[in-house]
Amino acid sequence: MRTSLVFAMASSLGLLATQSALAAESADSNSMSRGAYIARTADCTACHTTDESKPFAGGLAMPTPMGDIYSTNITPDKSTGIGNYSLEDFTRVLREGVDKGGDHLYPAMPYTAYTKMSDSDIKALYDYFMNEVKPVNAPNQESDIPWPLSMRWPLMAWNWMFLDKGVYQADEQKSDAWNRGAYLVQGATHCSTCHTPRGLAMQEKGTDETEKGFLSGADLGGWHAFNITNDKAAGLGSWSDEDIVQYLKTGSVKGKAQAAGPMGEAVEHSFRFMSDSDLHAIATYLRSVPAVDDGKTMETSRFTQGEPVAVDMVVRGQDPEKAMDSSPGAELFMGNCATCHAADGSGSPDGYYPSLYHNSVVGTTHLDNLTRVILEGVHRENNHGELFMPAFGESLTDEQVATLVNFLTSTFGNPEATTTAEAVGKLRSKD
């Protein structure tokens, strides 16, 4: 990607012009400033807003193996926020993960991705926070990590080993759309933060399409971020560009997948506000990421597993032997799920209540997401209104949730995927 310095600089200037035009187009179409649009693409609100009446005041607890850390106040309040930050201070945070006082940030703040953002985008973002965000006096909370593990100096060594500083450099062999998509995915939208597996030091195992493992899926915070490489069975290889754009814009593709948990939040707070041209650019780039399989031989993808099964007939005893074997899970399904998802698992005709077969979360071997959706429900907004599924964590025991999950996967999804009451209990503790 890096040829001669002159050519690279010329390519970068062309990319920045394209980025600026696209961002300006997006800002106009969405009635927001360019800086506000960039804040949306970077999804700053996901980590820095815990109270909607106090945007960007911080306070979100983020678990680490050593203890919880808390997001900081990034409003322009001068005593508790970033009101005294210069543009250079702000840039150093995004590019190097070092705050105004010289303290190194934990890489839970995705500066490893933001480092690729252009100077003009960072300045627009800075102007947005300083001039459009309301100051909120909200003191930052110290981490729960005990001393001496809480010392920050080892992060200097971590950055030396794993932080690849530098603005994104355009690949002159690729199209403008591909480069724009690469710039967004690798940088502001920081897809790799969740979707790339991590090493022993919690470093991402890949930062772009040239490194194996990049975007191949990872477990993080009790959720599984799926493989989004071009693999047809485990990844997005069977999706069209339009499928990817629709998923990012709405969080739902009928017969394939629905977004919940952190991905649902990313759709709600970030992707649905992005321009169609940016979403198509992301799709263009993702479709080019080399396929990474999950190490298993799969005849069908997780999106095509299962078929409709008339569970109500099973419960009514028209097949006594099957009813006897499946009764506990079938009864839980009929009592808690069938009203919305239909007795045969087909969902509602308009897709508001999704089908349970040909559904990625039921057809996968990673059951954390399905379990947490049952425990916590779903409540998010898209551009067409609210999506809602009630939480069953208070009404169902760990044993019942495990029984229901196993019934759903064996009936409508991947019969090889099973869970236990113990596994449910561990996920419940993360709520």
Side-chain angles (χ1 to χ4, degrees):
M1 293 175 63
R2 294 179 175 88
T3 54
S4 71
L5 177 60
V6 173
F7 203 102
M9 289 176 64
S11 299
S12 297
L13 289 172
L15 175 67
L16 293 181
T18 301
Q19 290 164 354
S20 298
L22 289 170
E25 165 201 316
S26 305
D28 291 340
S29 64
N30 290 283
S31 300
M32 67 177 82
S33 69
R34 182 180 171 205
Y37 181 81
I38 295 167
R40 287 291 189 184
T41 66
D43 199 9
C44 303
T45 193
C47 290
H48 291 278
T49 300
T50 53
D51 181 345
E52 292 184 2
S53 68
K54 301 176 181 178
F56 305 115
L60 179 70
M62 292 177 281
T64 76
M66 301 175 291
D68 288 351
I69 60 176
Y70 298 88
S71 63
T72 57
N73 182 342
I74 56 171
T75 74
D77 182 71
K78 290 186 178 295
S79 58
T80 63
I82 60 171
N84 292 317
Y85 274 55
S86 65
L87 174 59
E88 290 72 22
D89 295 330
F90 187 80
T91 301
R92 191 182 185 198
V93 169
L94 296 184
R95 290 265 171 82
E96 302 176 35
V98 180
D99 68 15
K100 184 177 177 65
D103 289 332
H104 285 259
L105 305 182
Y106 293 102
M109 190 280 195
Y111 61 86
T112 53
Y114 294 158
T115 189
K116 297 189 178 185
M117 292 174 64
S118 68
D119 290 345
S120 60
D121 276 358
I122 290 176
K123 184 180 186 305
L125 189 62
Y126 175 78
D127 290 342
Y128 167 71
F129 277 110
M130 292 302 170
N131 301 313
E132 297 185 53
V133 173
K134 180 182 178 181
V136 177
N137 187 280
N140 293 315
Q141 186 171 343
E142 293 293 329
S143 76
D144 295 336
I145 301 175
W147 190 87
L149 296 176
S150 60
M151 293 189 297
R152 299 292 184 104
W153 66 264
L155 293 171
M156 295 176 61
W158 192 95
N159 284 348
W160 180 77
M161 290 187 290
F162 303 119
L163 175 59
D164 185 14
K165 290 188 293 185
V167 179
Y168 174 80
Q169 299 296 312
D171 185 342
E172 67 277 5
Q173 302 299 322
K174 302 292 187 180
S175 68
D176 287 345
W178 187 95
N179 275 298
R180 175 65 177 172
Y183 173 80
L184 290 168
V185 169
Q186 296 175 25
T189 63
H190 57 282
C191 302
S192 184
T193 300
C194 291
H195 289 276
T196 297
R198 294 178 179 261
L200 292 177
M202 294 303 293
Q203 81 282 10
E204 295 169 27
K205 290 186 175 180
T207 58
D208 62 34
E209 76 285 349
T210 66
E211 298 178 280
K212 186 173 177 59
F214 180 62
L215 302 182
S216 62
D219 294 308
L220 193 67
W223 291 88
H224 182 73
F226 284 113
N227 183 333
I228 54 173
T229 71
N230 207 33
D231 186 79
K232 288 188 175 182
L236 300 179
S238 64
W239 288 41
S240 66
D241 286 5
E242 289 70 25
D243 287 338
I244 296 173
V245 170
Q246 180 181 329
Y247 183 78
L248 294 175
K249 184 180 291 186
T250 69
S252 177
V253 177
K254 189 175 180 180
K256 282 189 169 71
Q258 294 76 43
M263 189 63 209
E265 293 176 0
V267 171
E268 179 175 7
H269 299 305
S270 178
F271 288 114
R272 72 185 176 105
F273 295 98
M274 294 175 66
S275 68
D276 285 350
S277 56
D278 273 354
L279 295 178
H280 277 282
I282 288 173
T284 297
Y285 177 69
L286 289 179
R287 293 296 297 276
S288 76
V289 176
V292 178
D293 63 32
D294 62 358
K296 300 177 181 178
T297 301
M298 298 178 63
E299 296 182 0
T300 57
S301 73
R302 55 189 167 91
F303 311 108
T304 57
Q305 297 276 1
E307 59 185 17
V309 175
V311 179
D312 54 338
M313 295 302 185
V314 173
V315 173
R316 291 171 187 169
Q318 293 199 0
D319 184 341
E321 182 177 350
K322 188 173 183 180
M324 184 182 298
D325 292 341
S326 303
S327 178
E331 290 182 358
L332 285 167
F333 171 80
M334 290 302 298
N336 297 281
C337 312
T339 300
C340 295
H341 294 282
D344 65 350
S346 60
S348 60
D350 63 359
Y352 181 90
Y353 298 109
S355 169
L356 297 175
Y357 54 87
H358 296 182
N359 186 314
S360 65
V361 78
V362 185
T364 182
T365 56
H366 301 280
L367 297 184
D368 286 0
N369 295 9
L370 176 59
T371 304
R372 292 197 71 165
V373 164
I374 293 172
L375 288 171
E376 303 169 25
V378 176
H379 187 196
R380 60 178 171 81
E381 293 183 8
N382 64 19
N383 291 336
H384 304 292
E386 291 188 74
L387 297 176
F388 177 76
M389 170 184 157
F392 295 96
E394 292 186 5
S395 60
L396 299 179
T397 66
D398 292 348
E399 187 66 43
Q400 288 174 317
V401 172
T403 298
L404 179 56
V405 168
N406 292 335
F407 174 80
L408 293 173
T409 56
S410 64
T411 306
F412 301 113
N414 189 335
E416 296 181 3
T418 60
T419 191
T420 64
E422 181 182 8
V424 172
K426 290 180 179 179
L427 288 176
R428 188 191 293 272
S429 67
K430 296 180 181 292
D431 293 358

